[in-house]
Amino acid sequence: MLDKTDDISVAADNWLVQFEDALASPDDVLLKPLFHPDSHWRDVLALSWNIQTVNRAFAILEELPAHALRSTPHNFRIDADRAPPRRVVRAGTNAIEAIFKFETSVGRGHGIVRLIPDTTDDNSLKAWTLLTALEELKGFEEQQGHTRPRGQAYSRDFRGPNWLDLRKASAEYTDRDPDVLVVGGGQAGLAIAARLKQLGIDTLIVDREARVGDNWRKRYHALTLHNQVQVNHMPYMPFPPNWPVYIPKDKLANWFEAYVDAMELNFWTGTEFAGGSYDDAHGHWNVELRRADGTTRKMQPRHVVLATGVSGIPNLPEIPGLTNFSGKVMHSSRYEDGEDWSGKRALVIGTGNSGHDIAQDLHSSGAGVTLVQRSSTLITNIEPSAQLSYAAYNEGSLEDNDLIASSMPLALAKRSHVLITEQSKELDKTLLDGLARVGFRLDFGDGGTGWQFKYLTRGGGYYFNVGCSDLVADGAIKLAQFADIETFVPEGARLKSGETLTADLIVLATGYRPQEELVRKLFGEAIAARVGPIWGFGDGQELRNMYTRTPQPGLWFIAGSLAQCRINSQYLALQIKAIEAGLLPRDVGPVAKFT
């Protein structure tokens, strides 16, 4: 039983001491009193080499000792360089929260423990949540700070190649293939490539766009990020302190270009990944790349990382009668600017972020716009409601907040977002009532879990209001329900009432196809079937096939917001490094090979 004390630092330190002793014990007698009956343990590679969550004390007591026996965690102590132990409210529960560090047989890690009283055991403080996360591998630490490379200035070769010569030669790959091929040069691809670079893994990014950053630069004219700058930093290079709260797309695109140069990332623009097959016998891929000049290059990387976003293929649903329409039809991914449509009429089909933003852009350009709703949609004002889930990032260090974000098990994250959603509904009541009055169909996510879990399960279905919802509620942008459309005719959409919504332009803001369809296109049916669903949770506690080994050896996935990519790129890179160093099996298995 943990001694009672009013000193939260002493309480946290006492728990860690007893936890380390219990892990070294051959049975769970010492471990059992340390966990609250309703407890959660999330391990991110540190003890299990998996990203996994175990719920309830009895399940933790079954699984944790076996992992501890293999990984030999030790030297647990409060991290003096992090936020000190403190009292917090997480998911509506008061707890003592402490950040600690520790070691295993192969690495060093950080973690968070949250202690709450167990009312069934004389209010003894016990672990409610526990995070154990791998930070670095012993002997394979990142090259930065006091370990940064010295470069040519220390020992110059005046007759040999200089830095620029070496960079160009490295990026050309004339005499070698990369260890890792990253497909996609957005935030996901840049983040994982930067992490791998720091671990000494030869990595090449390929992207079909002509210029680094074009995957943001070529989006619609008015786009800015919907979450705030303090959440969105890239690994190793935080944004300058004078940057705006909401980053414009072109500013972010230009930063990506500078990031590639500053981090010395090998990047081939104008290069399409045509597909590949896996050589099980030799443990590498056979892939083909198509260059902008029409040439092809075959490569044999040991790892392929798909960093093409949550969804890469535009969803173009079969809409009966749409081919009858005589005007312009485009998917939202092809929309750029509303100026060409001034004085004309447009139908925007879809009421997620893209649909609303495009409708507002067209309206501001002088077009007559009707927003067509296909399904109920979550609406939340961009401030303050949409930022409530990022409140922790308004104070404290980025490193602490990233660790806190990693520490929340799924069940408690859902509970937290239910509370946030209820708060948002109160803050946004006037807007939501106005939308309901004009017939807009609202929802608040599965079980009231809000926009974050809509994103994590389906990649959309919500809108951060930056003014379009007000225009809809006021009638400045018209609203129609897709279910009320009977068919499309040359001049627009004919409603079941007999009325015709005339249009010169129809924008299909209908989202994207699931990522597994891209896998099927690039690698074939067999590999797609082996990998299975990507993104979302299914029956598990973690995103499916994301940031971790998949059933297909050598195939990895990274996607999500800038924050998700920043956080999880570290863990993905550590796994690839561990495989290359012989510490981790290439195939997914029940345990890792600890040495």
Side-chain angles (χ1 to χ4, degrees), residues 356-388:
H356 276 88
D357 280 352
I358 290 170
Q360 188 172 358
D361 187 60
L362 286 162
H363 171 79
S364 67
S365 297
V369 185
T370 299
L371 191 62
V372 181
Q373 187 173 27
R374 300 171 72 214
S375 58
S376 61
T377 310
L378 187 150
I379 305 295
T380 184
N381 278 321
I382 193 167
E383 285 190 358
S385 297
Q387 308 307 320
L388 293 176

Side-chain angles (χ1 to χ4, degrees), residues 158-188:
F158 285 89
R159 299 184 64 187
N162 69 1
W163 171 85
L164 183 59
D165 297 329
L166 295 173
R167 280 294 304 129
K168 289 179 177 178
S170 174
E172 287 173 356
Y173 287 93
T174 56
D175 58 351
R176 75 195 195 284
D177 289 344
D179 300 325
V180 179
L181 182 68
V182 176
V183 183
Q187 63 263 22

Side-chain angles (χ1 to χ4, degrees), residues 351-352 356 371-373 375-379 432 434-443 463 469 472-473 479-481:
T351 48
H356 276 88
L371 191 62
V372 181
Q373 187 173 27
S375 58
S376 61
T377 310
L378 187 150
I379 305 295
L432 299 178
L435 288 170
R437 279 194 296 271
V438 298
F440 194 95
R441 292 183 292 135
L442 296 163
D443 71 54
Y463 167 57
S469 288
V472 173
L479 176 69
Q481 295 297 327

